[in-house]
Amino acid sequence: MQLRQIGRRRENDMFAEQLDRIRRKLGEAAAADAENTVFGARVHKYRLHEPLRREELERFEKTHGIRLPEEYAAFLTEIGNGGAGPYYGIHPLGARQSIELDGIGLPSPLRPQSPVEASEKGAHEGMDEETTGMDEESECESEIYHGLLNIGEQGCSYETMLVVTGGYRGKVVYMNLDHPRPFFTYEDHFLDWYERWLDEVIAGYESAWFGLRRAGDERVLTELYRSQSSEAVQIEALEGMLKLRAITDETADFICSVRAEASENVGHAALHVLAKFKFGRAEALLREMLGSGDAECRLNAQQLIKWYMPKGDASFNKELIAMLPSETDERSFRFITMVLSDSGAEMLPLLLPFFTHPDKEFRIQALYQAGHSKAKADYLEAFLTALEDVEPRVQHTALQALRGVTDRRLLPAFEKLLQQHKTNKDDIRSNVKGLLEHFPFTSMEQVERELPSSLLQVKGMLKKILDPYRRS
C-alpha cells in the first residue's frame, strides 16, 4: 500500500504544472462567467468538492479491480473530488452513476472512428451522428459499457464517460444512453479535456455542446486545415470555428478562398462559418444556392439564412416568396416560412393554400405560422376548415393559431370538436377551453340567453370556466 501511494505521488508530480494551471484557470473561468450563463454553471457554480484522500481512491480501485487513469486520479486527489466541470459538472467518485459498475474492470470494446469513418456515417450533424465504433467481435450492446466510469451528466440521456481499461484508457467519451453510440472527445486524457473546457469558458466560446468540435482558435484551426489533405479533417477544422465568438476579416478571406476552391462538402462547411460570422459576405453565395436545381442545396441555403440572417432583414423575401407556391419539400417549406416570418412579412395570404395541402406536415406548419399574423381574424373561414381536418395534430395547431380570436362563429366548430374528442388525449379539449376563457362571457345567465341549446358541450365547458366551484 505504501509503495502504491508513493507511485501515486510521483504520478501527481508529473502533472503538477498542469494541475497548477487548472487551479488558476478555474478562478479565471468563474470570473469570466460571473453570471453563470455557461451551460450547467448554475448547478456547479465553478465550485469543487474537497480532494479525495488517496486511501479512498485506492479502496475504490481495489473494490472494482481497476487502476484509474493517472490524469483523472490526479484531478480527484489534488484538485477536487468532483464539482465544477463541463455540462453539469464532474461526479464525485462512485456517486451518481448512470450505469452499473459491475463491468468497469472488463476490457472496453470501444475504439475511436477515424475522421473518414465518421464522415462516411454522417458525421458533423450532431452528437448522435458523430459516432465511434466497437470492435467487431463485441456485438452485445451491454458490452459497450464495459470499462467505462460515468463521470458526469449532460442532460436528458447524455452522459460523460471515462475509459478506464483497454487501449484507449484515459479518454473521455460522450454517450447517449438511449442510443448507445459513443463519441470520443479529441483530447488525449481527462486533464487536457478539463483544461480545454476552462480555456473555452474564459475565451467566451459557445459551450452548449462542449467537446464535440475541434479545439483551438481561428489561427490554430486555419493551420489545421492547411496541414491536412483529408477532407474529413478539413471539415472538422472549419466546423471547429463555429464555437468561436467572432472571426477576423483575414480569416473570412481564407474562408472565401476555401469556398471557391474546395469540394462541395468542404465548401458548404466554409459557407456555414462565413454565414455565421460575416453574413453580408455570404449573401451572394446564398442567393446563388437558392436558385440551384438541387433540393438539398436550396435547403442548405434556407437553413443558413434562417440561422444567421439578422432578425427583421427582408433581403431574401422576394426569392423565398417566389419559391413558396411550388415547394414540395416539407423541410424547405418550414425554413422558408420561418425566414419570412422573422423578416416581418405578412404571411397569412401566402399560407392559405397550404391549409388544405395533401401533406399534413405542410398544413401544420402553415397553420403554426399563420397563428403569428395580426390579420387572422379576417380569414376565419379558412381556420374553420382547418378545424374540420381529419388529423388531430392539424386541429390542435389550428386551435393554437386562433389564440386571441373571439369570434362567435367559432363556437359551433368548438362544439363539434368537443363531441369528437371525449378525452383530452390529443390536447383538443384543453385548447378549446383555453380559447373559451377569452370569450367575453361574464355569467351563465348571459351564456344561456345568447347561445343556442345546440351548443351543449360548449355551454358545459363555459359553466366550468365561469363557476369553477359549482358542481356540473
Side-chain angles (χ1 to χ4, degrees):
M1 181 69 75
Q2 188 174 7
L3 290 175
R4 192 169 186 175
Q5 289 179 343
I6 292 171
R8 282 294 189 195
R9 290 192 187 97
R10 287 176 178 172
E11 289 169 359
N12 291 357
D13 289 342
M14 292 171 54
F15 309 120
E17 185 177 341
Q18 186 169 26
L19 294 170
D20 285 342
R21 289 201 307 270
I22 287 174
R23 292 187 187 94
R24 172 176 54 79
K25 289 179 179 180
L26 188 60
E28 293 176 8
D33 184 33
E35 300 299 319
N36 294 326
T37 59
V38 167
F39 183 89
R42 292 188 185 277
V43 175
H44 59 71
K45 298 180 180 177
Y46 299 96
R47 296 171 185 164
L48 289 165
H49 301 304
E50 288 296 316
L52 187 70
R53 289 187 296 117
R54 288 190 177 87
E55 307 88 80
E56 295 176 282
L57 177 76
E58 289 163 3
R59 188 179 306 120
F60 180 91
E61 292 179 326
K62 183 177 180 180
T63 299
H64 298 287
I66 60 168
R67 185 172 172 81
L68 291 170
E70 293 72 24
E71 300 84 3
Y72 174 65
F75 179 88
L76 295 177
T77 57
E78 299 292 330
I79 299 292
N81 183 22
Y87 300 100
Y88 291 111
I90 305 300
H91 292 332
L93 183 64
R96 299 169 61 189
Q97 298 295 307
S98 295
I99 59 171
E100 297 295 331
L101 294 174
D102 295 347
I104 192 173
L106 298 173
S108 172
L110 302 183
R111 63 171 180 83
Q113 286 184 337
S114 70
V116 173
E117 287 175 315
S119 178
E120 289 174 351
K121 291 193 176 183
H124 316 294
E125 297 295 336
M127 191 165 79
D128 280 347
E129 301 301 326
E130 294 185 64
T131 61
T132 60
M134 294 175 66
D135 292 333
E136 290 183 6
E137 64 268 20
S138 181
E139 297 178 355
C140 179
E141 186 174 293
S142 63
E143 292 181 16
I144 198 170
Y145 299 113
H146 288 175
L148 294 183
L149 175 65
N150 182 209
I151 61 171
E153 63 180 81
Q154 301 169 358
C156 298
S157 59
Y158 293 95
E159 302 287 334
T160 305
M161 309 288 189
L162 183 71
V163 182
V164 298
T165 64
Y168 298 97
R169 178 175 176 271
K171 292 282 287 185
V172 175
V173 172
Y174 297 165
M175 185 86 78
N176 179 353
L177 300 186
D178 287 343
H179 305 283
R181 291 160 35 162
F183 172 84
F184 273 72
T185 56
Y186 293 101
E187 289 66 48
D188 289 335
H189 53 71
F190 176 88
L191 289 179
D192 283 354
W193 171 80
Y194 192 90
E195 187 174 10
R196 174 188 168 181
W197 171 70
L198 293 173
D199 288 338
E200 295 194 1
V201 171
I202 293 166
Y205 293 171
E206 290 185 4
S207 60
W209 285 109
F210 165 75
L212 286 174
R213 302 193 187 280
R214 287 272 187 174
D217 58 19
E218 56 188 317
R219 179 188 58 80
V220 169
L221 293 166
T222 299
E223 288 306 311
L224 174 62
Y225 180 95
R226 287 174 169 154
S227 69
Q228 295 292 322
S229 58
S230 164
E231 283 195 356
V233 178
Q234 289 178 335
I235 289 172
E236 288 182 350
L238 292 169
E239 291 186 338
M241 295 186 185
L242 295 173
K243 70 180 183 301
L244 306 179
R245 299 176 68 179
I247 61 173
T248 62
D249 289 337
E250 181 181 359
T251 299
D253 292 340
F254 165 71
I255 296 295
C256 288
S257 67
V258 169
R259 164 68 185 176
E261 300 167 3
S263 68
E264 181 179 348
N265 289 337
V266 176
H268 177 64
L271 181 59
H272 194 160
V273 176
L274 193 66
K276 178 173 183 178
F277 296 113
K278 304 286 184 181
F279 188 81
R281 297 187 64 172
E283 280 195 37
L285 297 169
L286 293 170
R287 211 174 296 278
E288 180 182 326
M289 290 172 66
L290 287 178
S292 170
D294 180 73
E296 285 298 318
C297 184
R298 294 196 302 273
L299 175 63
N300 287 337
Q302 293 153 4
Q303 290 172 327
L304 294 176
I305 292 169
K306 163 59 185 170
W307 295 335
Y308 302 122
M309 184 172 71
K311 198 171 181 68
D313 191 330
S315 301
F316 289 90
N317 280 19
K318 182 178 179 180
E319 292 90 338
L320 294 175
I321 289 173
M323 295 170 68
L324 195 60
S326 58
E327 188 54 66
T328 58
D329 184 275
E330 184 272 329
R331 298 169 301 165
S332 285
F333 178 73
R334 182 158 43 90
F335 276 96
I336 290 172
T337 55
M338 288 192 293
V339 172
L340 290 173
S341 178
D342 288 346
S343 75
E346 177 47 65
M347 295 288 295
L348 216 160
L350 302 172
L351 296 169
L352 290 176
F354 295 96
F355 282 20
T356 55
H357 193 279
D359 188 328
K360 68 178 179 181
E361 298 300 331
F362 277 76
R363 304 199 297 275
I364 291 168
Q365 178 63 19
L367 285 161
Y368 171 77
Q369 290 296 345
H372 300 314
S373 174
K374 296 179 180 179
K376 56 191 174 184
D378 298 332
Y379 297 89
L380 192 63
E381 290 301 325
F383 284 98
L384 288 171
T385 299
L387 291 176
E388 296 180 352
D389 199 282
V390 297
E391 290 286 345
R393 282 183 59 213
V394 176
Q395 296 172 339
H396 177 267
T397 309
L399 287 169
Q400 291 193 321
L402 284 165
R403 288 174 183 168
V405 179
T406 56
D407 193 309
R408 291 195 184 185
R409 285 177 293 171
L410 288 169
L411 298 180
F414 291 170
E415 179 72 21
K416 187 173 181 179
L417 287 170
L418 292 172
Q419 291 179 8
Q420 180 184 352
H421 297 273
K422 301 300 184 183
T423 70
N424 196 39
K425 179 173 73 71
D426 296 305
D427 294 324
I428 299 298
R429 297 184 69 87
S430 57
N431 273 273
V432 170
K433 181 175 181 291
L435 292 173
L436 286 174
E437 287 173 346
H438 292 89
F439 274 67
F441 295 112
T442 58
S443 68
M444 279 307 299
E445 289 75 12
Q446 180 190 8
V447 169
E448 293 293 350
R449 184 174 64 251
E450 298 180 6
L451 299 187
S453 59
S454 59
L455 298 181
L456 184 63
Q457 297 285 330
V458 168
K459 284 184 174 182
M461 189 164 278
L462 284 169
K463 181 183 292 186
K464 293 178 181 178
I465 294 169
L466 293 169
D467 190 1
Y469 303 106
R470 180 176 177 178
R471 291 181 178 271
S472 57

Coordinates of all heavy atoms in Angstrom, one line a residue, residues 1-10 58 67:
M1 N 0.8 -1.2 0.0 CA 0.0 0.0 0.0 C 0.9 1.3 0.0 O 0.6 2.2 -0.7 CB -0.9 0.0 1.2 CG -1.8 1.2 1.3 SD -3.1 1.2 0.0 CE -4.2 -0.1 0.7
Q2 N 1.9 1.2 0.8 CA 2.8 2.4 0.9 C 3.5 2.6 -0.4 O 3.6 3.8 -0.9 CB 3.8 2.2 2.0 CG 4.6 3.5 2.3 CD 5.5 3.3 3.5 OE1 5.6 2.2 4.0 NE2 6.2 4.4 3.9
L3 N 4.0 1.6 -1.1 CA 4.6 1.7 -2.4 C 3.6 2.3 -3.4 O 4.0 3.1 -4.3 CB 5.2 0.4 -2.9 CG 6.4 -0.2 -2.1 CD1 6.7 -1.6 -2.6 CD2 7.5 0.8 -2.3
R4 N 2.4 1.8 -3.3 CA 1.4 2.3 -4.3 C 1.1 3.8 -4.1 O 1.0 4.6 -5.0 CB 0.1 1.6 -4.1 CG -0.9 1.8 -5.2 CD -2.1 0.8 -5.1 NE -3.0 0.9 -6.3 CZ -4.0 0.2 -6.5 NH1 -4.2 -0.9 -5.7 NH2 -4.7 0.4 -7.6
Q5 N 1.1 4.3 -2.8 CA 0.9 5.7 -2.5 C 2.0 6.5 -3.0 O 1.9 7.6 -3.6 CB 0.7 5.9 -1.0 CG -0.6 5.4 -0.5 CD -0.8 5.6 1.0 OE1 0.2 5.8 1.7 NE2 -2.0 5.5 1.5
I6 N 3.3 6.0 -2.9 CA 4.4 6.7 -3.4 C 4.3 6.8 -4.9 O 4.6 7.9 -5.5 CB 5.7 5.9 -3.0 CG1 5.9 6.0 -1.5 CG2 6.9 6.5 -3.7 CD1 7.1 5.1 -1.0
G7 N 3.9 5.7 -5.6 CA 3.7 5.8 -7.0 C 2.7 6.8 -7.4 O 2.9 7.5 -8.4
R8 N 1.6 6.9 -6.7 CA 0.6 8.0 -7.0 C 1.2 9.4 -6.8 O 0.9 10.2 -7.6 CB -0.6 7.8 -6.1 CG -1.6 6.7 -6.4 CD -2.3 6.9 -7.7 NE -3.4 6.0 -8.0 CZ -3.9 5.8 -9.1 NH1 -3.6 6.5 -10.2 NH2 -4.9 4.9 -9.2
R9 N 1.9 9.6 -5.8 CA 2.5 10.9 -5.6 C 3.4 11.2 -6.7 O 3.5 12.4 -7.2 CB 3.3 10.9 -4.2 CG 2.4 10.8 -3.0 CD 3.2 11.2 -1.8 NE 2.4 10.9 -0.6 CZ 2.4 9.9 0.2 NH1 3.3 8.9 -0.2 NH2 1.7 9.7 1.3
R10 N 4.2 10.3 -7.2 CA 5.1 10.6 -8.3 C 4.3 10.9 -9.6 O 4.7 11.8 -10.4 CB 6.0 9.4 -8.6 CG 7.1 9.2 -7.5 CD 7.9 7.9 -7.7 NE 9.0 7.8 -6.7 CZ 9.7 6.7 -6.6 NH1 9.5 5.7 -7.4 NH2 10.7 6.7 -5.7
E58 N -7.8 4.4 -3.5 CA -7.2 3.1 -3.6 C -8.3 2.0 -3.2 O -8.3 0.9 -3.7 CB -6.0 3.0 -2.8 CG -4.8 3.7 -3.4 CD -3.7 4.0 -2.5 OE1 -3.7 3.5 -1.3 OE2 -2.7 4.7 -2.9
R67 N -7.3 0.2 -12.0 CA -6.4 1.3 -11.6 C -6.9 2.5 -12.5 O -6.9 2.4 -13.7 CB -5.0 1.0 -11.9 CG -4.0 2.1 -11.4 CD -2.6 1.6 -11.5 NE -1.6 2.7 -11.3 CZ -1.3 3.2 -10.1 NH1 -1.8 2.6 -9.0 NH2 -0.4 4.1 -10.0

